[in-house]
Structures are given as structure tokens and as C-alpha cells.
Amino acid sequence: VQLQASGGGLVQAGGSLRLSCQASGRTFQRYSMGWFRQAPGKEREFVASAMWTGGSTGYADSVKGRFTISRDIAKNTVYLQMNRLKPEDTAVYYCAADHGLSTRRAYDWNYWGQGTLVTVSS
């Protein structure tokens, strides 16, 4: 499984970004796809996840109502649309994959992309 994250950058507070995660290496119909983030000096934390086939969508309380996870099956790509960004959203964002219905604990996820940096200025 290979995961390639992209789309990070610098944005002002209140702005939007869309992250992409290109997945390859196998079929993902039975996989969970997720986004995590890690700010400097902090542990990696759950942001959002969904089953590749749809459903079982979950969000961290801190992003609920602002972020949306989605996927384009034809492109084998998972997206994280981030709206109304806040300075505290600044972090390296990682996409992840795991077989079956996974958890919100980073160490339970088996496959990781390389991370993309999101910086939100105040």
C-alpha cells in the first residue's frame, strides 16, 4: 500500500484547503481511510476517517462541522476538505489506511503517507 498526501500550504485563519491522498498498491474496498495530524511537540492525533466504500465516517470534535472527508473511487483518492481553518489546525497532516474498521488511535493504523504541512496564520 502506498499513500501520497498533498495539498498542504500556508493559509490565513478562516480560509480553506483541500488535502488529497492518492492511494495505490491494492484495492481498498475493505479499508478504512483516515487523516491524522501532528503539531510540533504533540502526539499524532485523529482528525477524520471513513470506510473506503462510504459510511462509518467520524471526526474529531475539534474539526467537526469544519472538515469533511470524502473519496473519489475512480481516482483512488481520499480528500480532506478543511474550511474555517484556525491557527490551532497548524500541523503536519498524514493520510492513513487500515484493513477493516479501524480506531482513532494512530498506532492501530498500518499504512501511512509521508505527511503534508498545513500552516494557518492568525
Side-chain angles (χ1 to χ4, degrees):
V1 174
Q2 291 82 43
L3 303 172
Q4 181 74 34
S6 62
L10 174 64
V11 63
Q12 287 188 332
S16 298
L17 279 176
R18 189 179 76 160
L19 305 183
S20 300
C21 177
Q22 176 73 49
S24 62
R26 64 180 63 213
T27 57
F28 292 92
Q29 279 82 357
R30 299 180 186 275
Y31 276 69
S32 293
M33 306 299 293
W35 288 96
F36 289 76
R37 66 186 182 186
Q38 189 165 18
K42 295 188 177 181
E43 294 186 352
R44 193 168 298 188
E45 65 174 3
F46 171 81
V47 175
S49 67
M51 292 297 293
W52 181 261
T53 52
S56 300
T57 302
Y59 296 93
D61 288 342
S62 59
V63 307
K64 199 173 294 182
R66 299 188 297 123
F67 291 11
T68 303
I69 187 171
S70 63
R71 80 273 185 267
D72 185 329
I73 293 176
K75 295 183 178 180
N76 252 23
T77 301
V78 178
Y79 301 101
L80 184 70
Q81 178 66 44
M82 306 185 295
N83 298 327
R84 304 199 308 277
L85 282 161
K86 305 175 181 179
E88 51 262 44
D89 294 319
T90 295
V92 176
Y93 283 71
Y94 298 89
C95 63
D98 193 39
H99 191 265
L101 187 62
S102 193
T103 73
R104 297 189 175 200
R105 297 185 296 263
Y107 59 76
D108 285 335
W109 292 69
N110 287 310
Y111 304 102
W112 293 88
Q114 84 288 2
T116 184
L117 176 63
V118 172
T119 303
V120 184
S121 63
S122 57

